[in-house]
Amino acid sequence: MGRCFKSGFFSIFLSLLLICQSSADESVELRLLTEPWAPVSYDDAGIASGFAVELVNELQRIMGTELEIEVLPWARALSIANSLPNVVLFATSVDEERRKNFDFVGPIITSKISLYAKANDDVEINNLEELNHAGSIGTYRSAIGLEMLKELGLTQLLVSSFPHQSAKQLIKGRVRFWCQADIAVASLLTKIGANIDSVKPVFVLSEVELYLAFSKGTEVGVIKQWQSALAYYKTSGKFKRLYYKWFGDLPVPERVELIRRVE
């Protein structure tokens, strides 16, 4: 087993070296965009921080680049990535619409998208029909959960500009439910001065995987360079340690794949 592991490890390493060598002359400078969504990514006194930021910087170290990461509101970051080549947007889910404009490398995160209620609310939600009549739902613009809720035909939505605003709406009783990914709940509650014990999950919408998204027009060789860097980082065991540092015992996405853009 040890021999197989070493063989796979060095195969990935060799692949990475070859791709780096073949891409060296391209001198493509990417624009790296993420959103304020702690602990995945956030702005800490003007410095980009968080799990995904640390991961992307580790991949850059492997590839020998030092590009700056910009933390922008999600709607703005998505708009830029939809309109310009050579943009890396992270972390994002894969859906039919986004596959028209992006290639994806990952997954880098696995998360459950759930509806949360206040801990003292005795509500029970067993199906979508019950949810339709249970009360308003807080979410934020261009979020994964917002798209899911719309696809399910739910209309009682209060949409804010930033993730922590939706958390505050729940705590202050302006909405009955808060739609959020499990990986970000504790951090967002801390940001607004609330405790994780003040809320509870009442309905799971979906389990999603999040990726690095490369905008339309980005060279395939560049994208494959990132894919190999991620595969190398995961095989080394460092990815698992980084994941544990930020997310504790949540499930770690082990595989690496490239999902190509749909023409």
Side-chain angles (χ1 to χ4, degrees):
M1 183 175 179
R3 184 178 297 173
C4 291
F5 174 82
K6 289 179 181 178
S7 175
F9 181 84
F10 286 114
S11 175
I12 291 170
F13 182 62
L14 178 60
S15 174
L16 174 63
L17 289 177
L18 290 172
I19 290 172
C20 286
Q21 184 177 10
S22 66
S23 302
D25 296 332
E26 295 180 23
S27 301
V28 175
E29 183 161 314
L30 300 175
R31 188 171 179 183
L32 309 179
L33 304 183
T34 190
E35 66 169 324
W37 190 40
V40 176
S41 50
Y42 57 95
D43 186 294
D44 183 10
I47 299 173
S49 303
F51 163 78
V53 170
E54 193 168 340
L55 172 62
V56 166
N57 281 333
E58 283 294 302
L59 299 184
Q60 288 204 84
R61 183 183 59 78
I62 292 170
M63 295 181 291
T65 60
E66 294 183 359
L67 301 172
E68 181 185 358
I69 297 173
E70 301 173 61
V71 182
L72 302 175
W74 178 252
R76 182 179 170 198
L78 182 61
S79 176
I80 292 170
N82 273 325
S83 57
L84 296 175
N86 300 318
V87 176
V88 184
L89 178 66
F90 61 95
T92 178
S93 60
V94 179
D95 61 29
E96 211 170 300
E97 189 61 33
R98 288 177 185 167
R99 285 199 65 185
K100 298 174 184 176
N101 290 320
F102 297 97
D103 292 285
F104 299 86
V105 168
I108 62 170
I109 298 171
T110 299
S111 182
K112 287 182 180 177
I113 309 297
S114 299
L115 296 182
Y116 291 81
K118 295 176 76 169
N120 58 4
D121 190 335
D122 60 2
V123 64
E124 290 185 12
I125 301 295
N126 299 301
N127 53 58
L128 288 174
E129 184 60 33
E130 292 178 358
L131 185 58
N132 262 317
H133 307 288
S136 57
I137 303 169
T139 182
Y140 72 101
R141 192 181 308 155
S142 298
I144 304 168
L146 175 59
E147 301 309 313
M148 289 180 181
L149 294 168
K150 286 181 176 179
E151 287 177 9
L152 293 171
L154 297 168
T155 57
Q156 67 276 28
L157 309 176
L158 184 57
V159 182
S160 57
S161 297
F162 299 99
H164 71 276
Q165 292 173 337
S166 298
K168 188 178 291 186
Q169 288 165 353
L170 175 67
I171 298 302
K172 291 186 174 295
R174 294 172 186 162
V175 295
R176 191 173 191 185
F177 304 104
W178 170 38
C179 182
Q180 187 52 252
D182 57 359
I183 54 173
V185 169
S187 179
L188 289 170
L189 288 171
T190 299
K191 183 179 179 69
I192 64 170
N195 190 283
I196 187 66
D197 295 330
S198 62
V199 305
K200 63 180 181 181
V202 294
F203 190 75
V204 177
L205 288 172
S206 179
E207 185 167 328
V208 300
E209 294 179 320
L210 305 180
Y211 290 72
L212 305 172
F214 295 78
S215 65
K216 183 177 180 180
T218 305
E219 291 293 329
V220 175
V222 173
I223 299 169
K224 287 186 175 181
Q225 183 180 354
W226 281 77
Q227 180 189 9
S228 290
L230 180 59
Y232 174 76
Y233 192 67
K234 284 193 176 186
T235 306
S236 73
K238 293 179 181 179
F239 179 86
K240 185 175 288 186
R241 291 194 290 273
L242 181 65
Y243 207 85
Y244 179 79
K245 168 187 169 181
W246 287 96
F247 303 128
D249 293 327
L250 290 177
V252 180
E254 302 279 5
R255 75 184 193 285
V256 176
E257 63 180 346
L258 167 58
I259 301 176
R260 295 302 312 278
R261 184 172 59 84
V262 176
E263 297 290 346

